[in-house]
Structures are given as C-alpha cells and as structure tokens.
Amino acid sequence: MDTPSFTVRKAPADVRYTTWFGLELIHTGLTVKLRLPEAYATIVEGLCGNLDGDKTDDYRLRNGTILEYDHVDGYGRSDSEFKCAQAWMIKGDVGPH
C-alpha cells in the first residue's frame, strides 16, 4: 500500500510502515520497533528516547528528570518505563469518538 505520506510493506515475518520523512515502524508479532533518521537525533524526546545511543537517559520526564534505566526481559514493564509513559501521556479525549 502506497500513499503520498507513507508506504506499507508486508513480509512473511513483519509489516513495515515508512513515512516520507524516513520514520519507519517495524511490526513483528507483539513487538514494534521505531527507527528515525539520524538527522532527528538532537530534536526528539519522549517515550522512544532521544536517539543519542545511550539507553540510560531514555526515561526522561517532561520536566527533564532522568529516571533509572531498569531493563526488564520479555514483555514486562519497569517502574521507570511506566512513570515515563505516564509523564508523556496526552490528557483529554484525543481519540476517535
């Protein structure tokens, strides 16, 4: 599937969504990986980290506080990951009705 904004490619093991500006989502089973071009390394923040290659500063709250990087194997969720997700959550009804 191709549109002016993005493409979708299905392979036996995954589905890949790619935007015109280089963002790529790779969906494999229960896992989704996000890739951005390095040009965004100095301007991204939030749940996917800041793209500086250092995992230990990826759990940064909106106020700049960096939470401890505590890796959890599998599909578990660490306390820091949960707190970071709560901090970046959009308030209000922003979804479809």
Side-chain angles (χ1 to χ4, degrees), residues 90-95:
I90 298 171
K91 307 289 189 235
D93 183 14
V94 295

Side-chain angles (χ1 to χ4, degrees), residues 3-18:
T3 72
S5 300
F6 66 92
T7 61
V8 178
R9 298 284 182 256
K10 185 173 183 194
D14 60 32
V15 179
R16 294 173 184 252
Y17 307 86
T18 307

Side-chain angles (χ1 to χ4, degrees), residues 50-62:
N50 58 12
L51 202 62
D52 69 353
D54 180 5
K55 293 181 195 179
T56 65
D57 68 356
D58 283 349
Y59 296 136
R60 181 183 308 263
L61 304 180
R62 286 181 184 259

